[in-house]
């Protein structure tokens, strides 16, 4: 799944939920590339997740598109920090959907 990246939209104001989100994500989903779209750089993002910073003064669509343009992969799975996994991802199904 080299053509697939995880993309998480968040804000540093919500970093209190990140340990649960990232902990469950890393436990239940195998991934090669993960990006987090943020309003500012943060030391609270675990290693292995590329931080792409956007300008909070811009409209949402512009912020999102400017970050998305920096994603190298062809396909993404979109998350927000409150999308917390409770079980393992069916990787076979995911690969089937990609094909």
């Amino acid at each position: 799944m080299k053509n697939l990246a995880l993309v998480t939209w968040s804000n540093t104001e919500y970093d209190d939920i990140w340990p649960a989100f990232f902990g469950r994500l890393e436990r239940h989903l195998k991934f090669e590339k993960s990006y987090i779209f943020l309003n500012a750089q943060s030391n609270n993002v675990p290693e292995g997740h590329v931080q792409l910073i956007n300008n909070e003064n811009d409209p949402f669509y512009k912020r999102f598109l400017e970050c998305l343009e920096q994603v190298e992969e062809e396909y993404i799975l979109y998350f927000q920090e409150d999308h917390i996994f409770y079980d393992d991802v069916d990787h076979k199904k995911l690969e089937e959907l990609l094909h």
Side-chain angles (χ1 to χ4, degrees), residues 5-49:
L6 309 184
V7 167
T8 304
W9 177 267
S10 192
N11 189 294
T12 54
E13 292 180 20
Y14 304 116
D15 67 352
D16 59 331
I17 192 72
W18 292 352
F21 171 75
F22 286 115
R24 292 294 192 138
L25 178 70
E26 293 168 3
R27 178 178 176 185
H28 293 295
L29 178 61
K30 293 180 178 80
F31 58 89
E32 291 192 29
K33 195 73 174 261
S34 174
Y35 300 88
I36 181 165
F37 298 179
L38 288 173
N39 60 306
Q41 193 78 19
S42 174
N43 291 329
N44 294 328
V45 174
E47 287 187 32
H49 302 275

Side-chain angles (χ1 to χ4, degrees), residues 4-8 29 75-79 89 94:
L4 177 70
L6 309 184
V7 167
T8 304
L29 178 61
Y75 301 103
I76 66 166
L77 283 178
Y78 174 76
F79 300 99
V89 170
L94 191 55

